[in-house]
Amino acid sequence: MQTADGGYILGGWSTSGISGDKTENGGGYTDYWIVKTDSLGIIQWQNTIGGSGDDELYSLSQTFDGGIFWAVILGPAFLGIKPNLLRVMMTTGL
């Protein structure tokens, strides 16, 4: 998705450790991975987030103030919560 600053925000999930352009290990089997690039596709930042189970990203959008809103399904091992919990998270500004 293109962001207000002309760059892009990309997201999905990964089962791999550090490799290629991925600079962070995951916390478990499947973790979600969010990448912010500039307008040329050069990575500005990235985050791999998750617990020891399956944690998957399902939605990304940009907020009116330039933040990023995302929705994830968290596996049962993430902070001891119930399995398959839909959680919505947001960061302000990029």
Side-chain angles (χ1 to χ4, degrees):
M1 170 183 75
Q2 190 161 24
T3 55
D5 65 359
Y8 295 90
I9 191 81
L10 311 146
W13 58 80
S14 172
T15 58
S16 68
I18 296 171
S19 62
D21 288 326
K22 190 166 183 275
T23 61
E24 298 176 338
N25 279 318
Y29 179 69
T30 304
D31 299 296
Y32 60 98
W33 183 29
I34 300 173
V35 179
K36 171 69 175 76
T37 72
D38 64 14
S39 61
L40 300 175
I42 297 169
I43 294 174
Q44 296 178 311
W45 58 261
Q46 61 179 287
N47 282 311
T48 302
I49 306 163
S52 61
D54 291 326
D55 307 299
E56 300 172 350
L57 178 72
Y58 280 87
S59 179
L60 274 175
S61 62
Q62 187 163 39
T63 61
F64 70 94
D65 65 352
I68 301 298
F69 171 90
W70 65 93
V72 297
I73 299 290
L74 300 175
F78 193 88
L79 301 176
I81 60 175
K82 294 180 181 179
N84 299 323
L85 174 71
L86 174 63
R87 184 160 190 188
V88 176
M89 302 176 192
M90 186 176 75
T91 181
T92 56
L94 296 176

